[in-house]
Each structure stands twice: as structure tokens, then as C-alpha cells.
Amino acid sequence: MASDTISTFNYFLPPPDGSRPYNRVYADSTTGKPTRNWVDDPHDMQVGDVRGKEELYKLDNAGFQYGREAAKHTSFLNNDEIEREYYPESIDLIKRVTGASKIVIFDHTIRRRRPGELDNHNPQKRQPVSRVHVDQTPTAATGRVHRHLPPTEAPSLLRRRFQIINLWRPISHAAVDWPLALCDFRSVDFEKDLVPVAHVYADREGETFGVKYNPNHQWKYMKAMTPEEYVLIKCSDSIKDGSVAILTPHTGFQDPNTPEGTPPRESIELRALVFYD
């Protein structure tokens, strides 16, 4: 039985002075500079449970796609082991689902919710993100190709279709606590809803999309996703002629129906460059 719910989603409100929005990643508190110059814009949104009808949602129509396949690597405690064992099987999975010819995984994030602790961007203590966002803008996506592939390969790869797709799955137990919500791209106004936000690292700059509130947004989740289930999240697509979904905003959210004593959410998210012949 589907379990639709209502939760408060933190949307993006641009800086009132019109300046370029930014996030500082792993900001140094001694500089006195704020970690960001924009504010959250909370709105209560209905979230539809797609369990039982997840086949309706595909990367090319909604921007996300659920599947079921247990990972062979299950410990997720050691980054070297994750890269050595989980990356190759994930490349194989994404190739089979998408039909892509080349996959390059460029990073991963493990999130373990720690009630009462702040997410201070410590890479070892990342918590679920409670803010509507898209990981990459088109400019940042192209920059990722140049950053992670040799200069001899990048130009020819960029002439063909390429995407950035995240592979997300719960680890150790079902994600009943703080599940992941995805916004159906068909309900997104690409021109009006998305605002580029500078993602400032110590040595470089990326760019994400902040997402402005739109009452038309259609939010979906799959209740109680297990570690044997996954979702592919499209963050960017080089096809922009209106024939396919380009991206999907997403966020973790607090389900008010979560039973007392539910174990805190743990999940892993891989980020992959996806190329087609």
C-alpha cells in the first residue's frame, strides 16, 4: 500500500541583494566569512510513495529510476575497499541499466545520520542533506569531464551524449528514517526554478543548482528502501532539446510517520560520468 506523506522541504531563496549565491565547502571558521549567503525557504509538500508503481519513473521521463540488485560489497567502512570493490560492480550496473558505453565514477559520499550532531562538512561525518538541490549545473558537468578525464579524451567524449548520474542506495538497513525524495522533472520549470550556486572549495570552484519553490513540483520517494534496492538520480544530461529529463532535484526529508526507535538512515551515493557511443 502506498504511503504518501507531507513533509517540510527546504527550498532556496536567493540573496536579497542580488549577489551571486555561494556555498563554502569545509569552510574555515577562522576567516569569519559565512558558509553561504542565501537562506532556506521552507514549504510543506506532499510526497508520493511510488512503491508498486516505480516502473513508471525512468531516467529519461522523470530523471530518476529505481531498481533492485543487491551489492556484493556490503561493509562500506573503508574508502579504498569501496573504490576497489563497489565501484566496478556499480559501473557494470549503470552500464546495464542505461546502455552507456563508458562510466567514470569520480567520487562517493557515505551519509550516516547522527541525531543531535551538526553536519559540519567533515567528510567522515556527512549527514542526509535536508535541502532541495541539484548536484551539478551544465557548466559544472562539462567541467567535471575535463577534471576527471585526460585532455586527449575529453573533447571527443563531450561531442557525444553524456550525463552525470548518481547511484544511491541504503546501507546496513532499510532507509525508513530520513528517506530520499526526488522531484519529477516533468513538474520542474527549468528556466525559472533553478539558480546556479557557486560551490567554493579551498582549491577550486564547482556549481550546483539551488531550487526555488514551485507549488507544481511533484515529489516522489520509495518507502523503506532496502540495501538491495537503489535509485539512479540524473544530475545532468547533454540532451537539452526537451525530449528527455535533464535532471532531478532531490533532498532527504523527515517523514513524520517514522516509528519511534527506527535506526538512523545510512546510505551511499556514487557520482558517475556516463558516456554513450
Side-chain angles (χ1 to χ4, degrees):
M1 184 184 132
S3 303
D4 297 357
T5 187
I6 292 176
S7 182
T8 303
F9 281 30
N10 290 313
Y11 278 95
F12 169 92
L13 212 52
D17 61 3
S19 60
R20 183 189 184 205
Y22 65 77
N23 281 322
R24 293 183 197 282
V25 186
Y26 314 135
D28 180 358
S29 58
T30 59
T31 63
K33 292 179 180 172
T35 55
R36 58 182 171 124
N37 64 343
W38 50 274
V39 294
D40 290 332
D41 182 26
H43 289 268
D44 286 349
M45 302 297 284
Q46 181 162 351
V47 196
D49 179 11
V50 304
R51 187 172 287 286
K53 48 185 187 288
E54 60 266 28
E55 287 301 311
L56 298 174
Y57 302 91
K58 302 293 187 186
L59 284 166
D60 278 350
N61 64 17
F64 55 91
Q65 186 166 330
Y66 292 94
R68 184 176 184 88
E69 183 167 310
K72 295 180 189 74
H73 179 86
T74 55
S75 61
F76 299 107
L77 295 170
N78 177 290
N79 282 333
D80 290 336
E81 282 182 11
I82 290 168
E83 290 179 25
R84 192 170 62 246
E85 297 173 8
Y86 187 57
Y87 278 23
E89 64 170 302
S90 299
I91 287 171
D92 177 61
L93 171 62
I94 297 169
K95 275 187 175 176
R96 282 186 282 112
V97 172
T98 64
S101 54
K102 181 180 177 71
I103 311 278
V104 177
I105 295 174
F106 59 88
D107 73 5
H108 70 271
T109 302
I110 290 181
R111 300 188 188 278
R112 291 184 168 94
R113 196 168 76 80
R114 294 171 170 83
E117 279 190 36
L118 292 173
D119 184 355
N120 61 358
H121 285 303
N122 176 336
Q124 309 309 317
K125 292 191 170 184
R126 302 299 295 275
Q127 301 219 48
V129 175
S130 59
R131 190 170 296 127
V132 180
H133 68 286
V134 179
D135 290 17
Q136 317 281 339
T137 63
T139 303
T142 303
R144 284 280 182 193
V145 176
H146 287 294
R147 179 174 170 79
H148 301 295
L149 283 140
T152 50
E153 282 186 60
S156 63
L157 289 168
L158 285 168
R159 282 195 288 273
R160 306 199 297 267
R161 185 185 190 185
F162 86 95
Q163 303 164 322
I164 294 183
I165 292 175
N166 295 1
L167 169 63
W168 188 96
R169 73 164 76 231
I171 53 181
S172 73
H173 52 264
V176 176
D177 172 76
W178 275 84
L180 181 72
L182 303 130
C183 188
D184 191 318
F185 180 76
R186 294 167 288 194
S187 67
V188 175
D189 186 324
F190 187 79
E191 300 300 326
K192 293 180 180 172
D193 295 350
L194 306 171
V195 182
V197 179
H199 214 52
V200 183
Y201 298 87
D203 59 338
R204 62 190 169 88
E205 203 172 277
E207 196 174 58
T208 64
F209 274 132
V211 183
K212 292 194 286 189
Y213 169 68
N214 178 339
N216 298 322
H217 285 166
Q218 297 289 313
W219 285 98
K220 306 297 176 186
Y221 82 122
M222 191 152 80
K223 187 175 177 68
M225 277 183 76
T226 69
E228 292 74 45
E229 296 173 315
Y230 65 85
V231 63
L232 295 175
I233 307 165
K234 191 189 285 187
C235 297
S236 183
D237 196 319
S238 61
I239 293 181
K240 297 185 176 63
D241 61 6
S243 64
V244 298
I246 302 172
L247 47 77
T248 182
H250 52 282
T251 180
F253 73 99
Q254 186 165 18
D255 182 353
N257 304 312
T258 304
E260 196 76 28
T262 297
R265 191 246 274 186
E266 299 184 10
S267 58
I268 183 167
E269 188 170 14
L270 296 184
R271 299 176 184 87
L273 300 170
V274 179
F275 301 98
Y276 296 83
D277 285 337

